[in-house]
Coordinates of all heavy atoms in Angstrom, one line a residue:
M9 N 26.8 187.5 -62.9 CA 27.0 188.9 -62.3 C 27.4 189.9 -63.4 O 26.9 191.0 -63.4 CB 28.0 188.8 -61.2 CG 28.2 190.1 -60.5 SD 26.7 190.6 -59.6 CE 27.2 192.1 -59.0
I10 N 28.3 189.4 -64.3 CA 28.8 190.3 -65.4 C 27.6 190.6 -66.3 O 27.5 191.7 -66.8 CB 29.9 189.6 -66.1 CG1 31.2 189.4 -65.2 CG2 30.3 190.4 -67.4 CD1 31.8 190.7 -64.8
D11 N 26.7 189.6 -66.6 CA 25.6 189.9 -67.5 C 24.7 190.9 -66.9 O 24.2 191.8 -67.6 CB 24.8 188.6 -67.7 CG 25.5 187.6 -68.6 OD1 26.3 188.1 -69.4 OD2 25.1 186.4 -68.6
I12 N 24.4 190.9 -65.6 CA 23.6 191.9 -65.0 C 24.2 193.3 -65.1 O 23.6 194.3 -65.4 CB 23.3 191.5 -63.5 CG1 22.5 190.3 -63.4 CG2 22.6 192.7 -62.8 CD1 22.3 189.7 -62.0
L13 N 25.5 193.4 -64.8 CA 26.2 194.7 -64.9 C 26.2 195.2 -66.4 O 26.0 196.3 -66.6 CB 27.6 194.5 -64.4 CG 28.5 195.8 -64.3 CD1 27.8 196.8 -63.4 CD2 29.8 195.5 -63.8
S14 N 26.4 194.2 -67.3 CA 26.4 194.6 -68.7 C 25.1 195.1 -69.2 O 25.0 196.2 -69.8 CB 26.8 193.4 -69.6 OG 26.6 193.6 -70.9
Y15 N 24.0 194.4 -68.8 CA 22.7 194.9 -69.2 C 22.3 196.2 -68.5 O 21.6 197.1 -69.1 CB 21.6 193.8 -68.9 CG 21.7 192.7 -69.9 CD1 21.8 191.4 -69.4 CD2 21.8 192.8 -71.2 CE1 21.9 190.3 -70.2 CE2 21.9 191.8 -72.1 CZ 21.9 190.5 -71.6 OH 22.0 189.4 -72.5
T16 N 22.8 196.4 -67.3 CA 22.6 197.6 -66.5 C 23.2 198.8 -67.3 O 22.6 199.9 -67.4 CB 23.1 197.5 -65.1 OG1 22.4 196.4 -64.5 CG2 22.8 198.8 -64.3
C17 N 24.5 198.6 -67.7 CA 25.1 199.7 -68.5 C 24.4 200.0 -69.8 O 24.3 201.2 -70.1 CB 26.6 199.3 -68.8 SG 27.7 199.3 -67.3
I18 N 23.9 199.0 -70.5 CA 23.2 199.2 -71.7 C 21.9 200.0 -71.5 O 21.6 200.9 -72.2 CB 23.0 197.9 -72.4 CG1 24.3 197.3 -72.9 CG2 22.0 198.1 -73.6 CD1 24.3 195.9 -73.5
V19 N 21.2 199.6 -70.4 CA 19.9 200.3 -70.1 C 20.2 201.7 -69.7 O 19.5 202.6 -70.1 CB 19.1 199.5 -69.0 CG1 18.0 200.3 -68.5 CG2 18.6 198.2 -69.6
V20 N 21.2 201.9 -68.9 CA 21.6 203.3 -68.5 C 22.0 204.1 -69.7 O 21.6 205.3 -69.8 CB 22.8 203.3 -67.5 CG1 23.4 204.6 -67.3 CG2 22.3 202.7 -66.1
G21 N 22.7 203.6 -70.7 CA 23.0 204.3 -71.9 C 21.8 204.7 -72.7 O 21.7 205.8 -73.2
I22 N 20.8 203.8 -72.8 CA 19.5 204.1 -73.5 C 18.8 205.2 -72.7 O 18.2 206.1 -73.4 CB 18.7 202.8 -73.6 CG1 19.4 201.8 -74.6 CG2 17.3 203.1 -74.1 CD1 18.8 200.4 -74.6
V23 N 18.8 205.1 -71.4 CA 18.1 206.2 -70.6 C 18.7 207.5 -70.8 O 18.1 208.5 -71.0 CB 18.0 205.8 -69.1 CG1 17.6 206.9 -68.3 CG2 17.1 204.6 -68.9
F24 N 20.1 207.5 -70.8 CA 20.8 208.8 -71.1 C 20.4 209.4 -72.5 O 20.2 210.6 -72.6 CB 22.3 208.6 -71.0 CG 22.9 208.9 -69.7 CD1 23.6 208.0 -69.0 CD2 22.8 210.2 -69.2 CE1 24.2 208.3 -67.8 CE2 23.4 210.5 -68.0 CZ 24.0 209.5 -67.2
S25 N 20.3 208.5 -73.5 CA 20.0 209.0 -74.8 C 18.6 209.6 -74.9 O 18.4 210.7 -75.5 CB 20.1 207.8 -75.8 OG 21.5 207.4 -75.9
F26 N 17.7 208.9 -74.3 CA 16.3 209.5 -74.2 C 16.2 210.8 -73.4 O 15.5 211.7 -73.7 CB 15.3 208.5 -73.8 CG 14.9 207.5 -74.8 CD1 15.2 206.1 -74.7 CD2 14.2 207.9 -76.0 CE1 14.9 205.2 -75.6 CE2 13.9 207.0 -76.9 CZ 14.2 205.6 -76.8
W27 N 17.0 210.8 -72.3 CA 17.0 211.9 -71.4 C 17.5 213.2 -72.1 O 17.0 214.3 -72.0 CB 17.8 211.6 -70.1 CG 17.9 212.8 -69.2 CD1 16.9 213.3 -68.5 CD2 19.0 213.6 -68.9 NE1 17.3 214.4 -67.7 CE2 18.7 214.5 -68.0 CE3 20.3 213.5 -69.3 CZ2 19.6 215.4 -67.5 CZ3 21.2 214.4 -68.8 CH2 20.8 215.4 -67.9
G28 N 18.6 213.0 -72.9 CA 19.2 214.1 -73.7 C 18.3 214.6 -74.7 O 18.2 215.8 -75.0
T29 N 17.5 213.7 -75.4 CA 16.6 214.0 -76.4 C 15.4 214.8 -75.8 O 14.9 215.7 -76.5 CB 16.1 212.8 -77.1 OG1 17.3 212.1 -77.6 CG2 15.2 213.1 -78.3
S30 N 15.0 214.5 -74.6 CA 13.9 215.2 -74.0 C 14.2 216.7 -73.8 O 13.3 217.5 -73.7 CB 13.5 214.6 -72.7 OG 14.5 214.8 -71.7
H31 N 15.5 217.1 -73.7 CA 15.8 218.5 -73.5 C 15.5 219.3 -74.8 O 15.4 220.5 -74.7 CB 17.3 218.7 -73.1 CG 17.6 218.4 -71.7 ND1 17.3 219.2 -70.7 CD2 18.2 217.3 -71.1 CE1 17.6 218.7 -69.5 NE2 18.2 217.5 -69.8
L32 N 15.4 218.7 -75.9 CA 15.1 219.4 -77.1 C 13.7 220.0 -77.0 O 13.4 221.0 -77.8 CB 15.2 218.5 -78.3 CG 16.5 217.9 -78.6 CD1 16.5 217.0 -79.8 CD2 17.5 219.1 -79.0
L33 N 12.8 219.5 -76.2 CA 11.5 220.1 -76.1 C 11.4 221.3 -75.1 O 10.3 221.9 -75.0 CB 10.5 219.0 -75.6 CG 10.4 217.7 -76.5 CD1 9.6 216.7 -75.9 CD2 9.9 218.1 -77.9
S34 N 12.5 221.6 -74.4 CA 12.4 222.7 -73.4 C 12.4 224.0 -74.1 O 12.6 224.1 -75.3 CB 13.6 222.6 -72.5 OG 14.8 222.9 -73.2
K35 N 12.2 225.1 -73.4 CA 12.2 226.4 -73.9 C 13.5 227.2 -73.7 O 13.5 228.4 -73.8 CB 11.0 227.2 -73.3 CG 9.7 226.6 -73.7 CD 8.5 227.5 -73.2 CE 7.2 226.8 -73.4 NZ 6.4 227.4 -74.4
R36 N 14.5 226.4 -73.4 CA 15.8 227.0 -73.2 C 16.5 227.4 -74.6 O 15.9 227.2 -75.6 CB 16.8 226.0 -72.5 CG 16.2 225.5 -71.2 CD 16.3 226.5 -70.0 NE 17.7 226.9 -69.7 CZ 18.4 226.5 -68.7 NH1 18.0 225.5 -67.9 NH2 19.6 227.0 -68.5
S37 N 17.7 228.0 -74.5 CA 18.3 228.4 -75.8 C 18.8 227.2 -76.6 O 18.9 226.1 -76.1 CB 19.5 229.3 -75.4 OG 20.5 228.5 -74.8
L38 N 19.0 227.5 -77.8 CA 19.4 226.4 -78.7 C 20.8 225.8 -78.3 O 20.9 224.6 -78.3 CB 19.6 226.9 -80.2 CG 20.0 225.9 -81.2 CD1 19.0 224.8 -81.3 CD2 20.2 226.6 -82.5
L39 N 21.7 226.6 -77.8 CA 23.0 226.1 -77.4 C 22.9 225.2 -76.2 O 23.6 224.2 -76.0 CB 24.0 227.2 -77.1 CG 24.5 228.0 -78.3 CD1 25.4 229.1 -78.0 CD2 25.1 227.0 -79.3
F40 N 22.0 225.6 -75.2 CA 21.8 224.7 -74.1 C 21.2 223.4 -74.5 O 21.6 222.3 -74.0 CB 20.8 225.4 -73.1 CG 20.5 224.6 -71.9 CD1 21.3 224.5 -70.8 CD2 19.3 223.8 -71.8 CE1 21.1 223.7 -69.7 CE2 19.0 223.0 -70.8 CZ 19.9 223.0 -69.7
K41 N 20.3 223.4 -75.4 CA 19.7 222.2 -75.9 C 20.7 221.3 -76.6 O 20.8 220.1 -76.3 CB 18.5 222.5 -76.9 CG 17.3 223.1 -76.3 CD 16.3 223.4 -77.4 CE 15.1 224.2 -76.9 NZ 14.2 224.4 -78.0
L42 N 21.5 221.9 -77.4 CA 22.6 221.1 -78.1 C 23.6 220.6 -77.1 O 24.1 219.4 -77.3 CB 23.3 221.9 -79.2 CG 22.4 222.2 -80.4 CD1 23.2 223.2 -81.3 CD2 22.1 220.9 -81.1
H43 N 24.0 221.4 -76.1 CA 24.9 220.9 -75.1 C 24.4 219.7 -74.3 O 25.1 218.7 -74.2 CB 25.3 222.0 -74.2 CG 26.2 221.6 -73.1 ND1 27.5 221.3 -73.3 CD2 26.0 221.5 -71.8 CE1 28.1 220.9 -72.1 NE2 27.1 221.1 -71.2
S44 N 23.2 219.8 -73.9 CA 22.5 218.8 -73.1 C 22.4 217.5 -74.0 O 22.7 216.4 -73.5 CB 21.1 219.2 -72.7 OG 21.2 220.3 -71.8
L45 N 22.0 217.7 -75.2 CA 21.9 216.5 -76.1 C 23.3 215.8 -76.3 O 23.4 214.6 -76.3 CB 21.3 216.9 -77.4 CG 21.1 215.8 -78.5 CD1 20.1 214.8 -78.0 CD2 20.7 216.4 -79.8
S46 N 24.3 216.6 -76.6 CA 25.6 216.0 -76.9 C 26.2 215.4 -75.7 O 26.8 214.3 -75.8 CB 26.5 217.1 -77.5 OG 26.9 218.0 -76.6
V47 N 26.1 215.9 -74.5 CA 26.6 215.3 -73.3 C 25.9 214.0 -73.0 O 26.5 213.0 -72.7 CB 26.6 216.3 -72.1 CG1 26.9 215.6 -70.8 CG2 27.5 217.4 -72.3
A48 N 24.6 214.1 -73.0 CA 23.8 212.9 -72.7 C 24.0 211.8 -73.8 O 24.2 210.6 -73.4 CB 22.3 213.2 -72.6
D49 N 24.1 212.1 -75.0 CA 24.4 211.1 -76.1 C 25.8 210.5 -75.9 O 26.0 209.3 -76.1 CB 24.2 211.7 -77.5 CG 22.7 211.8 -77.8 OD1 21.9 211.1 -77.2 OD2 22.4 212.4 -78.8
T50 N 26.8 211.3 -75.6 CA 28.1 210.8 -75.4 C 28.1 209.8 -74.2 O 28.7 208.7 -74.4 CB 29.1 212.0 -75.2 OG1 29.1 212.9 -76.3 CG2 30.5 211.5 -74.9
L51 N 27.6 210.2 -73.1 CA 27.6 209.4 -72.0 C 26.8 208.1 -72.2 O 27.1 207.0 -71.8 CB 27.0 210.1 -70.7 CG 27.9 211.2 -70.2 CD1 27.2 211.9 -69.0 CD2 29.3 210.6 -69.7
G52 N 25.7 208.3 -72.9 CA 24.8 207.1 -73.2 C 25.5 206.1 -74.2 O 25.5 204.9 -73.9
A53 N 26.1 206.6 -75.2 CA 26.8 205.8 -76.1 C 28.0 205.1 -75.5 O 28.3 203.9 -75.7 CB 27.3 206.5 -77.4
M54 N 28.8 205.8 -74.7 CA 29.9 205.2 -73.9 C 29.5 204.2 -73.0 O 30.1 203.1 -72.8 CB 30.7 206.3 -73.2 CG 31.5 207.2 -74.2 SD 32.3 208.6 -73.4 CE 33.6 207.8 -72.6
S55 N 28.3 204.4 -72.3 CA 27.8 203.4 -71.4 C 27.4 202.1 -72.1 O 27.6 201.0 -71.7 CB 26.6 204.0 -70.6 OG 26.1 203.0 -69.8
I56 N 26.8 202.3 -73.3 CA 26.3 201.1 -74.1 C 27.6 200.3 -74.6 O 27.6 199.1 -74.5 CB 25.5 201.6 -75.3 CG1 24.1 202.1 -74.8 CG2 25.3 200.4 -76.3 CD1 23.3 202.7 -75.8
V57 N 28.6 201.1 -75.0 CA 29.8 200.4 -75.5 C 30.5 199.7 -74.3 O 31.0 198.6 -74.5 CB 30.8 201.4 -76.2 CG1 32.1 200.7 -76.5 CG2 30.1 201.9 -77.5
F58 N 30.5 200.3 -73.2 CA 31.1 199.7 -72.0 C 30.3 198.4 -71.6 O 30.9 197.4 -71.2 CB 31.1 200.6 -70.8 CG 31.8 200.0 -69.6 CD1 33.2 199.9 -69.6 CD2 31.1 199.6 -68.5 CE1 33.8 199.3 -68.5 CE2 31.7 199.1 -67.4 CZ 33.1 198.9 -67.4
G59 N 29.0 198.4 -71.7 CA 28.2 197.2 -71.5 C 28.5 196.1 -72.5 O 28.6 195.0 -72.1
L60 N 28.7 196.5 -73.7 CA 29.2 195.5 -74.7 C 30.6 195.0 -74.4 O 30.8 193.8 -74.7 CB 29.1 196.2 -76.1 CG 27.8 196.5 -76.7 CD1 27.9 197.2 -78.0 CD2 27.0 195.2 -76.9
L61 N 31.4 195.9 -73.9 CA 32.8 195.4 -73.5 C 32.7 194.3 -72.4 O 33.5 193.4 -72.5 CB 33.6 196.6 -73.0 CG 35.0 196.4 -72.6 CD1 35.9 195.8 -73.8 CD2 35.6 197.6 -72.0
L62 N 31.8 194.5 -71.5 CA 31.6 193.5 -70.5 C 31.0 192.2 -71.0 O 31.4 191.1 -70.6 CB 30.7 194.0 -69.3 CG 31.3 195.2 -68.5 CD1 30.2 195.7 -67.5 CD2 32.5 194.7 -67.8
K63 N 30.2 192.3 -72.0 CA 29.5 191.2 -72.6 C 30.4 190.4 -73.6 O 30.4 189.2 -73.7 CB 28.3 191.7 -73.4 CG 27.3 190.6 -73.7 CD 26.4 190.3 -72.6 CE 25.3 189.4 -73.0 NZ 25.1 188.4 -72.1
I64 N 31.2 191.2 -74.4 CA 32.1 190.6 -75.4 C 33.6 191.0 -75.1 O 34.1 191.9 -75.8 CB 31.7 191.0 -76.8 CG1 30.2 190.9 -77.0 CG2 32.4 190.1 -77.8 CD1 29.7 191.6 -78.2
P65 N 34.2 190.4 -74.1 CA 35.5 190.9 -73.8 C 36.6 190.6 -74.8 O 37.7 191.2 -74.8 CB 35.9 190.2 -72.4 CG 34.9 189.1 -72.4 CD 33.7 189.4 -73.2
S66 N 36.3 189.6 -75.7 CA 37.3 189.3 -76.8 C 37.5 190.4 -77.8 O 38.5 190.5 -78.5 CB 36.9 188.0 -77.5 OG 35.6 188.2 -78.2
K67 N 36.5 191.3 -77.8 CA 36.6 192.5 -78.8 C 37.1 193.8 -78.1 O 36.8 194.9 -78.6 CB 35.2 192.7 -79.4 CG 34.7 191.5 -80.2 CD 35.5 191.2 -81.4 CE 34.8 190.1 -82.1 NZ 35.6 189.7 -83.3
W68 N 37.8 193.7 -77.0 CA 38.2 194.8 -76.2 C 39.0 195.9 -77.0 O 38.7 197.1 -76.8 CB 38.9 194.4 -74.9 CG 40.3 193.9 -75.1 CD1 40.6 192.6 -75.2 CD2 41.4 194.7 -75.1 NE1 42.0 192.6 -75.3 CE2 42.5 193.8 -75.2 CE3 41.7 196.1 -75.0 CZ2 43.8 194.3 -75.3 CZ3 43.0 196.5 -75.1 CH2 44.1 195.6 -75.2
P69 N 39.9 195.5 -77.9 CA 40.6 196.6 -78.6 C 39.7 197.5 -79.4 O 39.8 198.8 -79.4 CB 41.6 195.9 -79.5 CG 41.8 194.6 -78.9 CD 40.4 194.2 -78.3
L70 N 38.7 196.9 -80.1 CA 37.8 197.7 -80.9 C 36.8 198.5 -80.0 O 36.5 199.7 -80.4 CB 37.0 196.8 -81.8 CG 37.8 196.2 -83.0 CD1 36.9 195.2 -83.7 CD2 38.4 197.2 -83.9
L71 N 36.4 197.9 -79.0 CA 35.4 198.7 -78.1 C 36.1 199.8 -77.3 O 35.5 200.9 -77.1 CB 34.7 197.7 -77.2 CG 33.8 196.6 -77.9 CD1 33.4 195.6 -76.9 CD2 32.7 197.3 -78.5
I72 N 37.3 199.6 -76.9 CA 38.1 200.7 -76.3 C 38.3 201.8 -77.3 O 38.2 203.0 -76.9 CB 39.4 200.2 -75.7 CG1 39.2 199.2 -74.5 CG2 40.3 201.3 -75.2 CD1 38.5 199.8 -73.3
L73 N 38.7 201.5 -78.5 CA 38.8 202.5 -79.5 C 37.5 203.2 -79.8 O 37.5 204.4 -80.0 CB 39.3 201.8 -80.8 CG 39.5 202.7 -82.0 CD1 40.7 203.7 -81.7 CD2 39.8 201.9 -83.3
A74 N 36.4 202.5 -79.7 CA 35.1 203.2 -79.9 C 34.8 204.2 -78.8 O 34.4 205.3 -79.0 CB 34.0 202.1 -80.0
I75 N 35.2 203.8 -77.5 CA 35.0 204.7 -76.4 C 35.8 205.9 -76.5 O 35.4 207.1 -76.3 CB 35.2 204.0 -75.1 CG1 34.1 202.9 -74.8 CG2 35.3 204.9 -73.9 CD1 34.4 202.0 -73.6
I76 N 37.1 205.8 -76.9 CA 38.0 206.9 -77.0 C 37.5 207.8 -78.2 O 37.5 209.0 -78.1 CB 39.4 206.4 -77.3 CG1 40.0 205.7 -76.0 CG2 40.4 207.5 -77.7 CD1 41.3 205.0 -76.2
T77 N 37.1 207.2 -79.3 CA 36.7 208.0 -80.4 C 35.4 208.8 -80.1 O 35.3 209.9 -80.5 CB 36.4 207.0 -81.6 OG1 37.6 206.3 -81.9 CG2 36.0 207.8 -82.8
L78 N 34.5 208.1 -79.4 CA 33.3 208.9 -78.9 C 33.6 210.1 -78.1 O 33.1 211.2 -78.3 CB 32.4 207.9 -78.2 CG 31.5 207.0 -79.0 CD1 30.8 206.0 -78.1 CD2 30.4 207.8 -79.7
A79 N 34.5 209.9 -77.1 CA 34.9 211.0 -76.2 C 35.5 212.1 -77.0 O 35.2 213.3 -76.8 CB 35.8 210.5 -75.2
I80 N 36.5 211.8 -77.9 CA 37.2 212.9 -78.6 C 36.3 213.5 -79.7 O 36.2 214.7 -79.7 CB 38.4 212.3 -79.3 CG1 39.4 211.9 -78.3 CG2 39.0 213.3 -80.3 CD1 40.6 211.1 -78.8
W81 N 35.6 212.7 -80.5 CA 34.8 213.3 -81.5 C 33.6 214.2 -81.0 O 33.4 215.3 -81.5 CB 34.2 212.1 -82.4 CG 33.2 212.7 -83.4 CD1 31.9 212.5 -83.4 CD2 33.5 213.5 -84.6 NE1 31.3 213.1 -84.5 CE2 32.3 213.7 -85.2 CE3 34.7 214.0 -85.1 CZ2 32.2 214.5 -86.4 CZ3 34.6 214.8 -86.2 CH2 33.4 215.0 -86.9
N82 N 32.9 213.7 -80.0 CA 31.8 214.5 -79.4 C 32.3 215.8 -78.8 O 31.6 216.8 -78.8 CB 31.0 213.7 -78.5 CG 30.1 212.7 -79.3 OD1 29.9 212.8 -80.5 ND2 29.6 211.7 -78.6
T83 N 33.5 215.7 -78.2 CA 34.1 217.0 -77.6 C 34.4 218.0 -78.6 O 34.1 219.2 -78.5 CB 35.3 216.6 -76.7 OG1 34.9 215.7 -75.7 CG2 35.9 217.8 -76.0
V84 N 35.1 217.5 -79.7 CA 35.4 218.4 -80.8 C 34.2 219.0 -81.5 O 34.1 220.1 -81.8 CB 36.3 217.7 -81.8 CG1 36.5 218.5 -83.1 CG2 37.7 217.3 -81.2
L85 N 33.2 218.1 -81.7 CA 32.0 218.6 -82.3 C 31.3 219.7 -81.4 O 30.8 220.7 -82.0 CB 31.0 217.4 -82.5 CG 29.7 217.8 -83.2 CD1 29.9 218.3 -84.6 CD2 28.8 216.6 -83.2
G86 N 31.3 219.5 -80.1 CA 30.8 220.6 -79.2 C 31.5 221.9 -79.4 O 30.9 223.0 -79.4
Y87 N 32.8 221.8 -79.5 CA 33.6 223.0 -79.7 C 33.3 223.7 -81.0 O 33.2 224.9 -81.1 CB 35.1 222.8 -79.5 CG 35.6 222.6 -78.1 CD1 36.1 221.5 -77.6 CD2 35.4 223.7 -77.2 CE1 36.6 221.4 -76.3 CE2 35.8 223.6 -75.9 CZ 36.4 222.4 -75.4 OH 36.8 222.3 -74.2
V88 N 33.2 222.9 -82.0 CA 32.9 223.4 -83.4 C 31.5 224.1 -83.4 O 31.3 225.2 -83.9 CB 32.9 222.3 -84.4 CG1 32.4 222.8 -85.8 CG2 34.4 221.9 -84.6
L89 N 30.5 223.5 -82.8 CA 29.2 224.1 -82.7 C 29.2 225.4 -81.9 O 28.6 226.4 -82.3 CB 28.2 223.1 -82.0 CG 27.7 222.0 -82.9 CD1 26.9 221.0 -82.1 CD2 27.0 222.4 -84.1
A90 N 30.0 225.4 -80.8 CA 30.0 226.7 -80.0 C 30.8 227.8 -80.8 O 30.3 228.9 -80.8 CB 30.8 226.4 -78.7
Y91 N 31.8 227.4 -81.5 CA 32.6 228.4 -82.3 C 31.7 229.0 -83.4 O 31.7 230.2 -83.7 CB 33.8 227.7 -82.9 CG 34.7 228.7 -83.7 CD1 35.5 229.6 -83.1 CD2 34.6 228.7 -85.1 CE1 36.3 230.4 -83.8 CE2 35.4 229.5 -85.8 CZ 36.3 230.4 -85.2 OH 37.0 231.3 -85.9
C92 N 31.0 228.1 -84.1 CA 30.2 228.5 -85.2 C 28.9 229.3 -84.8 O 28.3 229.9 -85.7 CB 29.8 227.3 -86.1 SG 31.2 226.6 -86.9
S93 N 28.5 229.2 -83.6 CA 27.3 229.9 -83.2 C 27.5 231.2 -82.5 O 26.6 231.8 -81.9 CB 26.6 229.0 -82.2 OG 27.3 228.9 -81.0
G94 N 28.7 231.8 -82.7 CA 29.0 233.1 -82.1 C 28.0 234.1 -82.6 O 27.8 234.3 -83.8
E95 N 27.4 234.8 -81.6 CA 26.4 235.8 -82.0 C 27.0 237.1 -82.4 O 27.6 237.8 -81.7 CB 25.5 236.0 -80.8 CG 24.7 234.8 -80.3 CD 23.8 235.1 -79.1 OE1 23.5 236.2 -78.9 OE2 23.5 234.1 -78.4
G96 N 26.9 237.3 -83.7 CA 27.4 238.6 -84.3 C 28.9 238.6 -84.5 O 29.4 239.6 -85.0
D97 N 29.6 237.6 -84.1 CA 31.0 237.6 -84.3 C 31.3 237.2 -85.7 O 30.7 236.2 -86.2 CB 31.7 236.6 -83.3 CG 31.6 237.0 -81.9 OD1 31.4 238.2 -81.6 OD2 31.8 236.2 -81.0
H98 N 32.3 237.8 -86.3 CA 32.6 237.5 -87.7 C 34.0 236.8 -87.6 O 35.0 237.5 -87.3 CB 32.7 238.7 -88.6 CG 31.3 239.3 -88.7 ND1 30.3 238.8 -89.5 CD2 30.8 240.5 -88.2 CE1 29.3 239.5 -89.5 NE2 29.5 240.6 -88.7
H99 N 34.0 235.5 -87.9 CA 35.3 234.8 -87.8 C 35.9 234.8 -89.2 O 35.2 234.3 -90.1 CB 35.0 233.4 -87.3 CG 34.3 233.3 -86.0 ND1 35.0 233.7 -84.8 CD2 33.1 233.0 -85.6 CE1 34.1 233.5 -83.8 NE2 33.0 233.1 -84.3
E100 N 37.1 235.2 -89.4 CA 37.7 235.3 -90.7 C 38.9 234.4 -90.7 O 39.6 234.2 -89.8 CB 38.0 236.7 -91.1 CG 36.8 237.5 -91.1 CD 37.1 239.0 -91.4 OE1 38.0 239.3 -92.2 OE2 36.4 239.8 -90.9

């Protein structure tokens, strides 16, 4: 049962990654594309790591650290991209 749940999480993570990448082909704004990509990649990577956590429970400290790092790093990166993309704003 754990194997099925683990593989399901890994497959869901892969689907999220491809789904986020598919938004790059849309005709929306660049910021919308980047936001969709970063959210989908974060959820996809976290789902894959959670699937690995179910598969290899002996490595739980490293995998939990990976999940926390993904959540923090991708959130900060999103804020940095939004800050740097200010239209016409001069940040000094």
Side-chain angles (χ1 to χ4, degrees):
M9 183 65 182
I10 295 294
D11 283 341
I12 294 172
L13 186 58
S14 172
Y15 289 130
T16 302
C17 287
I18 292 171
V19 168
V20 165
I22 292 169
V23 168
F24 265 120
S25 295
F26 280 116
W27 178 69
T29 305
S30 70
H31 282 285
L32 294 176
L33 301 174
S34 69
K35 294 185 188 249
R36 305 282 302 257
S37 70
L38 178 63
L39 289 178
F40 177 81
K41 292 176 185 182
L42 288 175
H43 175 70
S44 299
L45 179 65
S46 66
V47 169
D49 280 346
T50 301
L51 291 175
M54 290 172 75
S55 178
I56 290 171
V57 172
F58 185 72
L60 290 174
L61 180 63
L62 294 175
K63 194 82 171 140
I64 315 167
S66 63
K67 302 291 184 184
W68 72 268
L70 292 174
L71 294 172
I72 293 295
L73 180 65
I75 289 174
I76 292 169
T77 304
L78 278 168
I80 292 172
W81 175 249
N82 286 342
T83 302
V84 170
L85 182 61
Y87 282 120
V88 168
L89 285 173
Y91 181 81
C92 292
S93 67
E95 295 180 22
D97 293 340
H98 296 288
H99 304 289
E100 298 178 35

